[in-house]
């Protein structure tokens, strides 16, 4: 695949960097052949600065490095998509993504709400906030959370038996939230769950297709 890459007249190719967890686009930068080679070798992003005309290692100074999970080439072989686990903000301003200045007003903020909620739960554990319900659950302990998970699961069942969509939505949301708190308490991550689901369902489906 490396031999098919189409660099521009300056020997560069645009590289879109995407968060592997949330799917958010973090930044757009450029690579030359050497930058791509170093990215492949180190499993961290390297780019070519058009203004300084030199290679730069993302996060070398700030510590906000990007651990490469996957690299794909587009259909025209002239753009790279690099999926990463970011170790900090992508933007030099401190923003999570360089694309934080909206031109249009409509945007679905719900896309990565589960991941944002897990971050808030972890923040509450590390930095307790007075009046926080999440901190109340942490203070009460795992037995309280287990009780809430059981109660919310029962409420989902009742909502489903009543064929009440609004009730079902609200109760499933409550169940998800308390489950996320339980996951935090037991050090289980969303990636852990994704891994189990993939192995249980996707891998078996691929085997069936063969």
């Amino acid at each position: 695949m490396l031999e098919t890459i189409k660099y521009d007249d300056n020997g560069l190719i645009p590289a879109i960097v995407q968060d592997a967890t949330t799917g958010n686009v973090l930044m757009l930068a450029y690579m030359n052949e050497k930058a791509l080679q170093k990215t492949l070798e180190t499993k961290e992003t390297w780019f070519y600065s058009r203004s300084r005309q030199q290679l730069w290692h993302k996060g070398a100074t700030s510590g906000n490095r990007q651990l490469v999970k996957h690299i794909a080439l587009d259909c025209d072989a002239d753009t790279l998509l690099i999926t990463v686990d970011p170790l900090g903000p992508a933007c030099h301003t401190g923003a999570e993504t360089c694309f934080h200045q909206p031109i249009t007003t409509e945007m679905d903020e719900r896309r990565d709400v589960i991941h944002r909620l897990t971050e808030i739960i972890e923040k509450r554990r590390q930095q307790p906030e007075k009046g926080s319900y999440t901190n109340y659950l942490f203070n009460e302990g795992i037995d309280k959370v287990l009780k809430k998970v059981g109660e919310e699961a029962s409420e989902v069942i009742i909502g489903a038996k009543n064929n009440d969509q609004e009730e079902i939505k609200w109760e499933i949301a409550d169940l998800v939230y308390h489950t996320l708190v339980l996951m935090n308490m037991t050090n289980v991550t969303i990636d852990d769950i994704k891994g189990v689901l993939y192995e249980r369902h996707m891998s078996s489906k691929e085997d069936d297709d063969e």
Side-chain angles (χ1 to χ4, degrees):
M1 292 298 294
L2 294 178
E3 296 176 355
T4 66
I5 293 177
K6 298 176 183 177
Y7 295 96
D8 65 18
D9 293 340
N10 296 312
L12 302 176
I13 185 171
I16 301 168
V17 181
Q18 181 182 38
D19 189 313
T21 299
T22 66
N24 290 336
V25 174
L26 301 178
M27 58 184 289
L28 169 66
Y30 288 83
M31 289 182 169
N32 60 7
E33 187 173 1
K34 187 172 182 180
L36 178 56
Q37 289 175 346
K38 291 188 73 68
T39 296
L40 292 170
E41 291 169 2
T42 64
K43 306 299 183 184
E44 296 186 7
T45 53
W46 286 74
F47 303 105
Y48 183 82
S49 170
R50 294 174 296 171
S51 58
R52 298 191 303 271
Q53 296 191 343
Q54 63 183 28
L55 292 182
W56 60 285
H57 179 197
K58 175 63 177 174
T61 302
S62 65
N64 299 328
R65 298 174 2 255
Q66 297 172 339
L67 309 183
V68 176
K69 307 298 290 185
H70 183 67
I71 300 178
L73 191 61
D74 80 332
C75 55
D76 293 322
D78 60 3
T79 304
L80 294 171
L81 176 62
I82 304 177
T83 307
V84 304
D85 282 335
L87 301 184
C91 185
H92 71 282
T93 64
E96 175 187 336
T97 169
C98 292
F99 299 96
H100 61 273
Q101 302 182 87
I103 294 177
T104 57
T105 57
E106 293 183 7
M107 181 175 178
D108 191 351
E109 299 288 349
R110 299 170 297 179
R111 181 179 57 182
D112 60 345
V113 65
I114 297 296
H115 296 286
R116 292 188 180 278
L117 189 53
T118 61
E119 291 174 357
I120 291 173
I121 291 170
E122 175 61 19
K123 184 177 181 180
R124 292 290 182 270
R125 183 169 77 165
Q126 298 296 333
Q127 304 173 23
E129 186 174 291
K130 186 177 180 180
S132 164
Y133 177 68
T134 302
N135 281 131
Y136 163 76
L137 292 175
F138 280 129
N139 292 336
E140 289 294 308
I142 194 168
D143 286 345
K144 178 65 174 181
V145 176
L146 291 173
K147 181 180 178 182
K148 291 299 296 183
V149 169
E151 290 174 354
E152 299 304 341
S154 297
E155 294 294 335
V156 171
I157 293 171
I158 293 171
K161 291 292 289 183
N162 293 335
N163 196 27
D164 187 330
Q165 284 195 340
E166 285 301 313
E167 184 179 359
I168 293 170
K169 287 190 294 185
W170 280 95
E171 298 305 339
I172 288 179
D174 285 341
L175 177 58
V176 169
Y177 161 75
H178 287 93
T179 301
L180 290 174
V181 175
L182 177 62
M183 288 169 59
N184 184 284
M185 285 183 164
T186 55
N187 297 314
V188 174
T189 69
I190 291 178
D191 282 343
D192 292 334
I193 304 303
K194 287 180 178 179
V196 172
L197 290 172
Y198 179 84
E199 291 299 325
R200 183 179 295 172
H201 300 287
M202 302 304 295
S203 291
S204 60
K205 182 179 184 301
E206 290 173 358
D207 292 339
D208 291 341
D209 291 341
E210 292 179 355

